[in-house]
Amino acid sequence: MTEEVMGLRERKKLETARRIIRTAIALFVERGFDNVSVQEIADAADVSKMTVFNYFGTKEDLVFWPMEEHFGDAARAVRERPPGESALDAVRRQFLEMIETRDPAVGLHNEPFARQLRELVMCTPVLMERAFLAAQKGTRDLAAHLAEETGDLMLATVAAAMISAARNALIEEHYRRIDAGEPVTTVAAEAPERADRAFKLVEHGLGDYTRKAP
């Protein structure tokens, strides 16, 4: 449901959830994830501790709620692709669309909140573990869907791993370059060409890539 078609009650609930999340992330960034209690988050967000748990089952959910769905982006692209389109083309098309819209999920944005969120995950072991498991689940879901279509789980698993690795490498490249000081506009302008190169490597296989010279 989009915000445009939400009723007043649903919009207020969404606003409350967002306020709790932003309050929590600000506290986590300032003091560290392990050093902030749910009660302190509730007090800072001007809600009850029970309200926080009604919206989010665990403290970790406060971090992952804005990003959890994106771990399944590749599987969703493949599942929803039109007839005649290959799995790789579907993922490539989706990724290029996300580049064009500067989707925070692919690391192309100026909004500091998303970058703070990523840094928080990267420096907190329990969050890193959850992110790894969520990414692995996304790859397994992609493999399972490919296996349904092909009947070959082994090759589907190889294909899903390669597609996921290409996406992840591109996203990490975006973050690396922007963190190094390159303007987002420069990185975004070059992103489609780099995505094309990455997905072509998957499409054509490793072959002679890095063949050692005699």
Side-chain angles (χ1 to χ4, degrees):
M1 181 185 296
T2 63
E3 291 187 50
E4 289 77 9
V5 298
M6 282 183 178
L8 179 60
R9 185 168 181 271
E10 288 77 14
R11 286 200 302 273
K12 285 187 174 180
K13 288 178 65 175
L14 182 59
E15 289 169 2
T16 300
R18 287 173 172 169
R19 185 174 76 252
I20 294 171
I21 287 172
R22 290 188 176 272
T23 300
I25 298 304
L27 290 172
F28 294 153
V29 169
E30 179 185 355
R31 293 162 48 191
F33 179 80
D34 296 323
N35 299 321
V36 178
S37 71
V38 174
Q39 184 63 62
E40 289 173 316
I41 294 167
D43 292 343
D46 196 26
V47 297
S48 69
K49 183 177 179 180
M50 183 60 69
T51 297
V52 176
F53 282 122
N54 284 341
Y55 280 85
F56 309 97
T58 67
K59 195 165 79 165
E60 289 85 355
D61 289 341
L62 287 160
V63 177
F64 284 91
W65 189 77
M67 68 175 84
E68 197 100 62
E69 65 176 311
H70 291 293
F71 289 111
D73 279 343
R76 185 161 43 254
V78 171
R79 185 171 59 250
E80 297 175 356
R81 74 191 193 280
E85 185 175 53
S86 72
L88 180 61
D89 284 343
V91 175
R92 174 166 35 203
R93 172 177 51 78
Q94 179 199 61
F95 197 82
L96 291 173
E97 290 170 354
M98 295 173 82
I99 289 173
E100 185 175 357
T101 59
R102 304 284 182 88
D103 194 307
V106 297
L108 294 173
H109 46 77
N110 286 312
E111 215 281 324
F113 176 75
R115 308 195 77 76
Q116 290 177 339
L117 205 58
R118 180 177 182 274
E119 287 302 315
L120 177 65
V121 171
M122 296 291 286
C123 69
T124 309
V126 67
L127 299 179
M128 273 290 289
E129 180 180 5
R130 176 158 170 176
F132 173 78
L133 293 175
Q136 289 292 98
K137 182 181 183 303
T139 301
R140 288 197 305 273
D141 289 345
L142 174 57
H145 188 81
L146 295 174
E148 286 181 11
E149 294 189 10
T150 65
D152 191 326
L153 179 59
M154 187 275 290
L155 287 183
T157 301
V158 172
M162 293 175 66
I163 291 171
S164 296
R167 287 185 88 261
N168 292 338
L170 288 164
I171 294 169
E172 285 302 310
E173 176 76 354
H174 297 161
Y175 275 111
R176 182 189 66 78
R177 292 176 61 184
I178 293 170
D179 288 344
E182 291 191 55
V184 174
T185 52
T186 300
V187 179
E190 296 176 1
E193 186 271 336
R194 297 187 71 82
D196 186 59
R197 288 169 56 193
F199 287 119
K200 277 183 177 176
L201 184 61
V202 176
E203 184 175 9
H204 300 301
L206 296 180
D208 288 332
Y209 176 70
T210 68
R211 185 184 296 277
K212 192 171 182 178

